[in-house]
Amino acid sequence: GNVVEYLNIDDDYDDMGASAKDSGGYDITPSITKTITGSGTSISTISPATYNIIYKVNDNGKIMTSIRTIIVK
């Protein structure tokens, strides 16, 4: 699901990733694509910024999306 995480400047960030199963219950995690948008294309905690990590996977034509928002304050 969609999650918001807050980090302080100079905190370490370890992406927890995402997992997915198709409608038949099979693991389709390797098919997930990840895009980072916002203040750059990677998470940096050297200054205040907001990032969105967008995870998408296609299950037989149905696109499933989950967004993790990272706020560095």
Side-chain angles (χ1 to χ4, degrees):
N2 297 339
V3 175
V4 176
E5 292 184 43
Y6 295 92
L7 299 173
N8 293 311
I9 291 177
D10 293 328
D11 279 355
D12 290 329
Y13 178 72
D14 185 23
D15 183 11
M16 298 181 317
S19 61
K21 293 188 178 190
D22 67 10
S23 56
Y26 295 99
D27 185 15
I28 56 173
T29 299
S31 300
I32 294 173
T33 60
K34 177 175 98 170
T35 306
I36 299 175
T37 64
S39 300
T41 56
S42 63
I43 306 296
S44 172
T45 62
I46 61 171
S47 62
T50 299
Y51 303 90
N52 288 309
I53 305 173
I54 304 164
Y55 302 95
K56 288 186 181 180
V57 68
N58 185 333
D59 178 14
N60 295 319
K62 180 182 177 189
I63 305 296
M64 296 180 283
T65 303
S66 180
I67 300 171
R68 182 174 295 133
T69 301
I70 308 299
I71 300 172
V72 181
K73 53 184 184 159

